[in-house]
Amino acid sequence: MDPTKFEYVYDFVEKPADGDVPSYSVGYLRSSVAHSVNFRKLGLTVDFQSGEKIYFTDGPNHSSTWNLHQIRRLAERSGFAVDDCWTNEASDYCLACFVPV
């Protein structure tokens, strides 16, 4: 696989802060030209169109950004409540303790 024929892309998908769905980031490789990649050991050749993407995860995202409202809604929809939350000084990381209701 020729890495010069792909570009690394990392997008942030922002969702409304008052909604139940968190914002998230997604990373992928995007083919910069139409080309083929041969995986000899697999006996497989994959054709890529220009602009075609290879995602790094199964699903739409791999890093979600939740606010406290969304964490509480997630807990409620799962039959739990938020007992307490702890954040770092910058409030960019959070640990939430859920308890059954």
Side-chain angles (χ1 to χ4, degrees), residues 13 24-28 54-64:
V13 180
Y24 60 90
S25 56
V26 60
Y28 52 89
I54 303 172
Y55 288 91
F56 300 137
T57 60
D58 182 23
N61 64 67
H62 66 263
S63 178
S64 297

Side-chain angles (χ1 to χ4, degrees), residues 15-47:
K15 299 291 185 176
D18 60 349
D20 291 345
V21 179
S23 297
Y24 60 90
S25 56
V26 60
Y28 52 89
L29 292 174
R30 181 172 48 213
S31 177
S32 55
V33 296
H35 68 283
S36 297
V37 175
N38 183 287
F39 298 94
R40 288 186 313 270
K41 291 186 178 184
L42 297 175
L44 177 69
T45 298
V46 178
D47 296 321

Side-chain angles (χ1 to χ4, degrees), residues 71-83 98-101:
I71 291 172
R72 290 187 191 285
R73 287 288 299 133
L74 174 67
E76 290 169 9
R77 290 192 325 260
S78 303
F80 291 87
V82 175
D83 184 52
F98 288 13
V99 293
V101 290

